[in-house]
Amino acid sequence: MKKALSAVTVLALFVSSCIRTYIPIPPPPHTGTTTPDSALSITGLSATTGAGGSNITIYGTGFSTTLAGDEVTINGKTATVVSAAADSLVITIPVKAGTGIVAVTVGSTTTTGPVLTYKAVWVVSTFAGSTKGTADGTGTGAQFFEPIGICNDATGNLYITDAGNNELRKITTAGVVSTLATNASGWGICINKQGTIYFCDAWDNCIRQYTTAGGVTTIAGGAQGYYGGPVSQAQFNFPAGICTDSTGVLYVTDAGNSVIRDIYAGAVGNIAGNPCNSGYTDGIGTQAMFSDPYGLCTDGQGTLYIADTYSQRICKLVAQYSQVTTIAGSHLREGTKDGAGTVASFFQPGAVCVDVNGNLYVADTQNHLIRMITPDGTVSTIAGTGNPGDADGIGTAASFNQPFGICINSQGVLFVADSWNNKIRQLIAQ
């Protein structure tokens, strides 16, 4: 007689028949790339603003831990990876990268992060001039005596009012200095597209022009005072700055009268400011007030930018409406503070110029600094120590002594009439 199997025995036999041997599959060899449970992403940056050549950290996940495994770009420019971990990368910002998106590529996968705002560093060097004198020559072989006004033509040649020498000078793109005219006392200077040079003869209260055919001639003013109308009858009081637009209108800062004038179709007019009252008031036409405005420039679209020198501010003037608005600085303080709008401070700024992107550059004369104002009104110092000096270098390691005139060429190179150093300085962004 067969014995019946117990329920326990039957269960045991069933389980044992289902058991299979499990042999684990080994992981692939480590390559330093991301693993499937660590997706590639950028979660943040240690700083959202940076200069070329400086380091920042990118935070995220899924980065390669080998330097060669991560490709990083800023605004499409390749950055150098200094150190790499799965959750962070230290990189060097490419010189001249510009503002743009940060992207990381690992293998065939790319992820993008926030925008990095590029902050250029400015390399300052001496373009022409050495010791006080009046010698023509090349580069530092030439001499100036308190150059004040500076402008450039479409091909990059520079023109300077060499005030201490009462001369009009030219510098080619190769740095060759020549004298165009003597007995040509001048402050502000500009050149139109036809090649006619205009400059302010501040001490003689007139506006003069220079052409290769006619030499130096007076085109308006000649007597101290305040009077508009025909150019032959017009009067100025220490005209200091001048610029021209594409239509041929000349704009003048009549500093002693604290007004902004225009010269067009043989007549001198008043755009803004009150000759009877100097001050620091925004407004329209004669409701606005200035205090000895010196430098000015135009963006070519009908907007003027003015260094309102003794009000310690930079203003915007929409010529069509005679509307004056303060962009940066305040009459309440003189100083070197960077910041937004009226939080920033200047000390007798002497000149301004504007680039194609709407950035303003200021020769902050009594601070011995070169300043920059972005279109949103943010002021920063790009070069100079804040004390008088004569040193080439990068940014705030360089020094100036009473920088007065400033202009920018089509390549974005700044040129400064460094008056008391008797030199023309060059600033190149990196």
Side-chain angles (χ1 to χ4, degrees), residues 88 330 347 369:
S88 65
S330 171
F347 188 11
L369 297 174

Side-chain angles (χ1 to χ4, degrees), residues 199-208 218-223 236 238-239:
F199 60 97
C200 296
D201 187 344
W203 301 110
D204 291 322
N205 303 295
C206 65
I207 309 303
R208 310 180 78 182
T218 299
I219 64 168
F236 297 88
F238 205 88

Side-chain angles (χ1 to χ4, degrees), residues 176-224:
V176 178
V177 179
S178 60
T179 300
L180 299 180
T182 57
N183 296 316
S185 176
W187 278 58
I189 187 171
C190 69
I191 185 169
N192 68 11
K193 57 187 178 183
Q194 287 77 36
T196 300
I197 298 169
Y198 301 95
F199 60 97
C200 296
D201 187 344
W203 301 110
D204 291 322
N205 303 295
C206 65
I207 309 303
R208 310 180 78 182
Q209 74 174 22
Y210 170 84
T211 64
T212 53
V216 175
T217 56
T218 299
I219 64 168
Q224 184 177 24

Side-chain angles (χ1 to χ4, degrees), residues 294-382:
Y294 275 26
L296 83 167
C297 66
T298 178
D299 63 2
Q301 308 301 315
T303 300
L304 300 174
Y305 300 96
I306 300 156
D308 192 10
T309 305
Y310 284 87
S311 282
Q312 325 296 342
R313 64 176 181 156
I314 307 301
C315 302
K316 177 173 72 174
L317 169 58
V318 181
Q320 181 180 358
Y321 306 106
S322 297
Q323 175 69 56
V324 177
T325 307
T326 299
I327 297 174
S330 171
H331 69 280
L332 295 175
R333 70 185 71 85
E334 48 188 50
T336 62
K337 186 176 178 61
D338 290 339
T342 56
V343 170
S345 57
F346 301 89
F347 188 11
Q348 294 182 14
V352 290
C353 66
V354 62
D355 69 16
V356 294
N357 297 313
N359 298 301
L360 289 173
Y361 301 90
V362 182
D364 193 1
T365 305
Q366 294 299 331
N367 277 328
H368 314 286
L369 297 174
I370 307 303
R371 317 285 291 279
M372 175 180 173
I373 309 175
T374 57
D376 66 359
T378 301
V379 179
S380 60
T381 298
I382 64 171

